[in-house]
Amino acid sequence: MTAQIIDGKAFAATVRGQVAEQVARLKSDHGITPGLAVVLVGEDPASQVYVRSKGKQTVEVGMNSYEHKLDADTSEADLLALIDQLNADPAVHGILVQLPLPGHLDEALVINAIDPAKDVDGFHISNVGLLATGQKSMVPCTPLGCLMMLRDHLGGLSGLNAVVVGRSNIVGKPMAQLLLRDSCTVTVAHSRTKDIQEVTRRADIVVAAVGRPEMVTGDWIKPGATVIDVGINRIDAPEKGEGKTRLVGDCHFDSCAEVAGAITPVPGGVGPMTIACLLANTLTACCRANALAEPEGLTA
């Protein structure tokens, strides 16, 4: 069996197109433009690239982009004061503080200072609790993107067995909650799970989000299963030359693709969906703030 490739790059482009259509409608019908504020503290190169990409895509779908770049030694008080200012700004519908933060800043304190209604990352403790109890919340972008791709590929998920490999607060736990909400039977596996290969081999859906390069191999996969690989790991690639590296997922792509019915590649799978869902979340937050109908197909 050769797995169907789930093209996250193409799907993300479709989502961005849907967001752009909704943004144009908000402007023409209501005179409202959604606004996303991104806060970057310090000069982490990967974070800088990510923030630039977010800003570019925000503008491309017709939203207002507000970037706040702070020095690495910015005090906690000054960062919290900026968040308070953004919370009170009616032109800002979504707030994202780029992680990781410098070591002297308390990430949990900073995230929980964001107005939950503007928390487009879905990390605020209120949104975590609302998601866990099946109430309306802001949903973390990466799990939301995975859910969208699963729904698109499989249709209804009700009754399917799903295994999430990884229990992080950012991906694993919210992913499990979303799958439960779509009536999957969900197992969360992790580094302490006994006979983990046997656990994953029973799954119709495997979401790998453990942060270990190529950990999940083909003999872990049930024939015909759908595999969503969230991992982005850089490993040595001596075949490319001395000092060269390449990106791989948490799944060993070639062996898993021989068994699975469908699989996301790395790169080009889940990654592009994360920013697309950030834009979708900002649109949703704007609609909720103005008591307007939420965009169909762009929320959980």
Side-chain angles (χ1 to χ4, degrees), residues 15-36 57-64 93 278-284 286-287 292 295 298:
V15 170
R16 291 196 304 273
Q18 292 172 335
V19 170
E21 289 177 9
Q22 295 284 345
V23 169
R25 191 170 295 120
L26 277 178
K27 290 180 179 180
S28 64
D29 294 354
H30 304 283
I32 299 168
T33 301
L36 172 63
Q57 293 188 39
T58 301
V59 172
E60 285 176 349
V61 298
M63 295 184 183
N64 290 328
H93 303 98
L278 172 67
L279 302 176
N281 276 351
T282 303
L283 173 62
T284 297
C286 178
C287 290
L292 298 171
L298 296 175

Side-chain angles (χ1 to χ4, degrees), residues 164-174 188-193 209-210:
V164 179
V165 185
R167 52 181 168 176
S168 71
N169 292 330
I170 293 174
V171 181
K173 291 176 184 176
V188 178
H190 47 78
S191 60
R192 300 293 180 89
T193 301
V210 71

Side-chain angles (χ1 to χ4, degrees), residues 120-180:
V120 286
D121 254 342
F123 295 162
H124 191 288
I125 190 64
S126 293
N127 283 318
V128 173
L130 289 168
L131 177 61
T133 52
Q135 300 179 68
K136 184 182 291 186
S137 67
M138 297 307 302
V139 178
C141 302
T142 299
L144 178 58
C146 294
L147 181 71
M148 286 182 178
M149 288 192 290
L150 285 167
R151 285 173 171 172
D152 180 72
H153 177 69
L154 294 170
L157 307 183
S158 179
L160 296 180
N161 288 318
V163 171
V164 179
V165 185
R167 52 181 168 176
S168 71
N169 292 330
I170 293 174
V171 181
K173 291 176 184 176
M175 187 77 248
Q177 297 291 347
L178 289 172
L179 290 166
L180 279 171

Side-chain angles (χ1 to χ4, degrees), residues 118-258:
K118 297 187 178 187
D119 167 39
V120 286
D121 254 342
F123 295 162
H124 191 288
I125 190 64
S126 293
N127 283 318
V128 173
L130 289 168
L131 177 61
T133 52
Q135 300 179 68
K136 184 182 291 186
S137 67
M138 297 307 302
V139 178
C141 302
T142 299
L144 178 58
C146 294
L147 181 71
M148 286 182 178
M149 288 192 290
L150 285 167
R151 285 173 171 172
D152 180 72
H153 177 69
L154 294 170
L157 307 183
S158 179
L160 296 180
N161 288 318
V163 171
V164 179
V165 185
R167 52 181 168 176
S168 71
N169 292 330
I170 293 174
V171 181
K173 291 176 184 176
M175 187 77 248
Q177 297 291 347
L178 289 172
L179 290 166
L180 279 171
R181 205 156 79 173
D182 267 31
S183 298
C184 289
T185 300
V186 182
T187 300
V188 178
H190 47 78
S191 60
R192 300 293 180 89
T193 301
K194 294 181 180 179
D195 299 322
I196 190 169
Q197 296 93 331
E198 290 301 318
V199 173
T200 57
R201 266 196 292 263
R202 295 193 295 269
D204 304 302
I205 297 168
V206 175
V207 180
V210 71
R212 295 186 183 182
E214 300 181 327
M215 174 179 169
V216 178
T217 53
D219 57 349
W220 291 35
I221 304 301
K222 174 182 175 180
T226 300
V227 178
I228 304 294
D229 190 349
V230 181
I232 301 178
N233 309 286
R234 191 168 291 280
I235 64 171
D236 293 335
E239 71 277 6
K240 292 185 174 182
E242 186 176 352
K244 297 294 185 179
T245 61
R246 62 187 176 94
L247 288 177
V248 299
D250 290 350
C251 299
H252 185 273
F253 182 83
D254 289 344
S255 64
C256 289
E258 289 179 0

